[in-house]
Amino acid sequence: MEPLTLTDQTQSEEDKKLQSEVISSGSIPKHIAIIMDGNGRWAKDKGNIRLFGHKEGVESVRDITESCAQLGVKHLTLYAFSTENWNRPEDEINGLMKLLVNSLKKEADRLNKNNIKLSSIGQINRLPASCQRQLEEVKELTKDNDRLELCLALSYSGRWDITEAVKKIALDVAEGKISPDEVTDDKIGSYLSTANVPDPDLIIRTSGEYRISNFLLWQLAYSELYITKTYWPDFRRNELYQAIFSYQKRDRRYGNVKNGYTKKISAAVINKIIS
Ligand code: FPP
């Protein structure tokens, strides 16, 4: 049993009950990855500018992170800023970067008290210096925490991740460190920015779009998808529980057949069926 952290001490009785229902109703995904979408539309619906949606989105980040920690999820990866997001208007990018710095400053102590470790993937060197410094500071503060790893995908894209891995593999092959025969599925995984992290079991996308949007392209091969119309700023723990209930009902076969299906078919029967 995990020791009680800050967030546990303020948790409502009703939520504790709901969480134990989620835990007892099936397996809890080890790794959840989320495409947080709909901040702009959420703000527009309220007659506000897009940055209000991003600001309210930070509240969802906190709520989902803490409920994942309580449920026993070990890795949570959030798509916070994609490579393509650099094409947005300059004022929105500036606002988002400042919001990131402020949020990291404000949440650092809370993350630490909740035994949550912060990490990041993506082209971190493209972020403003203030962002890079703040990220480093919180990573350093939380580096020994082990209840949950919260990974922010920043200036990230799946194709960038794979391209970088391919470059490194090509270099290692050219230098004779590995042979081409050693380039296996697992080997490629070990060159990605998510090496040492299990592939996501569940991927959630908010705002009702049916797209992967260049997120963890390699790592999502066998992830279960949950898509909800809810905009990210409204996506809170009760809906996370719905996503996990849905995940628990899935039959994950990894391309195989259902467990226990062992009936043998003779060659004669096969030939008869296919002819
Ligand atoms: C997508 O909504 C959201 C983003 C591009 C940014 C997500 C960032 C946050 C929630 C804040 C980050 C803060 C931390 C601490 C991680 P959208 O703008 O694409 O919405 P739209 O599709 O309705 O336009």
Side-chain angles (χ1 to χ4, degrees):
M1 173 94 180
E2 297 273 359
L4 277 189
T5 57
L6 179 74
T7 186
D8 302 330
Q9 289 158 20
T10 52
Q11 188 182 14
S12 73
E13 285 308 313
E14 194 196 344
D15 188 44
K16 276 186 203 159
K17 238 176 93 185
L18 269 172
Q19 281 189 350
S20 34
E21 254 175 62
V22 179
I23 292 166
S24 60
S25 77
S27 73
I28 295 293
K30 277 195 187 65
H31 183 176
I32 298 181
I34 307 184
I35 302 175
M36 309 182 286
D37 196 14
N39 294 356
R41 279 164 284 168
W42 182 91
K44 191 171 171 230
D45 282 357
K46 296 192 157 31
N48 267 322
I49 62 162
R50 303 174 54 82
L51 196 54
F52 278 94
H54 298 316
K55 185 165 179 251
E56 189 61 23
V58 175
E59 303 299 312
S60 298
V61 168
R62 185 191 309 112
D63 193 45
I64 296 305
T65 302
E66 294 186 359
S67 51
C68 278
Q70 289 167 332
L71 287 167
V73 174
K74 296 312 282 181
H75 299 272
L76 172 65
T77 303
L78 301 179
Y79 206 9
F81 195 83
S82 71
T83 309
E84 291 74 21
N85 286 154
W86 288 115
N87 299 323
R88 293 196 174 197
E90 206 182 315
D91 56 352
E92 184 174 349
I93 296 177
N94 288 341
L96 260 170
M97 294 299 154
K98 282 189 178 148
L99 178 64
L100 185 65
V101 174
N102 269 6
S103 309
L104 287 169
K105 259 188 207 157
K106 275 197 210 155
E107 302 296 329
D109 188 45
R110 197 176 165 110
L111 282 173
N112 199 31
K113 286 192 171 131
N114 283 322
N115 194 13
I116 295 166
K117 172 180 173 171
L118 183 81
S119 65
S120 63
I121 50 172
Q123 297 163 290
I124 303 303
N125 58 1
R126 284 188 74 182
L127 302 177
S130 57
C131 246
Q132 294 187 41
R133 271 197 306 274
Q134 199 55 50
L135 257 179
E136 269 319 304
E137 207 173 286
V138 186
K139 279 191 207 172
E140 179 58 30
L141 176 74
T142 61
K143 68 178 191 305
D144 296 323
N145 295 343
D146 62 2
R147 192 180 195 189
L148 166 78
E149 178 172 353
L150 166 65
C151 176
L152 299 181
L154 291 162
S155 189
Y156 177 87
S157 79
R159 286 187 175 179
W160 164 81
D161 204 355
I162 295 169
T163 306
E164 288 303 299
V166 170
K167 277 193 225 162
K168 287 178 199 148
I169 292 171
L171 205 65
D172 281 356
V173 169
E175 288 175 357
K177 289 184 185 154
I178 55 166
S179 78
D181 288 343
E182 286 176 78
V183 183
T184 58
D185 189 318
D186 284 347
K187 189 61 130 189
I188 295 173
S190 75
Y191 278 82
L192 292 168
S193 60
T194 47
N196 306 321
V197 175
D199 288 344
D201 301 293
L202 172 64
I203 166 151
I204 297 172
R205 180 166 191 147
T206 59
S207 95
E209 311 286 356
Y210 286 74
R211 283 193 292 275
I212 295 300
S213 297
N214 212 350
F215 196 21
L216 302 159
L217 297 179
W218 178 274
Q219 299 87 337
L220 291 178
Y222 284 103
S223 307
E224 296 296 329
L225 283 165
Y226 179 86
I227 293 168
T228 170
K229 284 198 169 130
T230 306
Y231 293 147
W232 177 251
D234 286 330
F235 188 91
R236 299 293 163 93
R237 59 180 63 205
N238 282 4
E239 191 151 355
L240 174 73
Y241 304 157
Q242 295 313 311
I244 297 178
F245 280 137
S246 162
Y247 166 83
Q248 288 169 337
K249 288 192 201 107
R250 312 281 177 93
D251 181 18
R252 301 186 78 191
R253 296 193 298 274
Y254 301 95
N256 205 331
V257 288
K258 217 174 161 71
N259 242 355
Y261 186 89
T262 51
K263 197 172 167 190
K264 287 259 186 297
I265 318 170
S266 70
V269 171
I270 292 175
N271 287 339
K272 202 168 164 202
I273 294 170
I274 64 169
S275 60

